[in-house]
Amino acid sequence: MAGGVYILVLLVLLATVGRLSVPRRERTPLRTWTLRDGYYNIRRGLAVLGAHGPSYPALHEAARPVAQRRS
């Protein structure tokens, strides 16, 4: 039960972030949302949060061959 509530809250948060990433005049009103609108807003929310996530330069550095690494 608690896991389902957690997933639901996470999906609502992602849909909200996705909806807020669209300009106000282009947003679909909440009353007319379908499952497709929710899905695309969740995807947009994931993309927005993924673009602003942390980068790990140390991991990228370790993937280079030893000869190309900075000293």
Side-chain angles (χ1 to χ4, degrees):
M1 176 72 179
V5 172
Y6 176 75
I7 297 293
L8 182 65
V9 168
L10 182 64
L11 292 176
V12 169
L13 176 71
L14 290 172
T16 302
V17 169
R19 184 172 189 268
L20 292 176
S21 70
V22 175
R24 185 176 296 247
R25 65 178 179 271
E26 296 178 14
R27 290 183 195 159
T28 304
L30 286 175
R31 291 183 180 150
T32 62
W33 269 25
T34 60
L35 288 177
R36 175 184 271 173
D37 296 321
Y39 171 74
Y40 285 116
N41 280 319
I42 290 169
R43 273 188 46 190
R44 194 175 300 116
L46 277 171
V48 167
L49 292 179
H52 295 291
S55 62
Y56 300 102
L59 296 178
H60 298 299
E61 188 70 24
R64 292 183 183 178
V66 176
Q68 295 179 353
R69 292 184 191 169
R70 297 179 211 162
S71 298

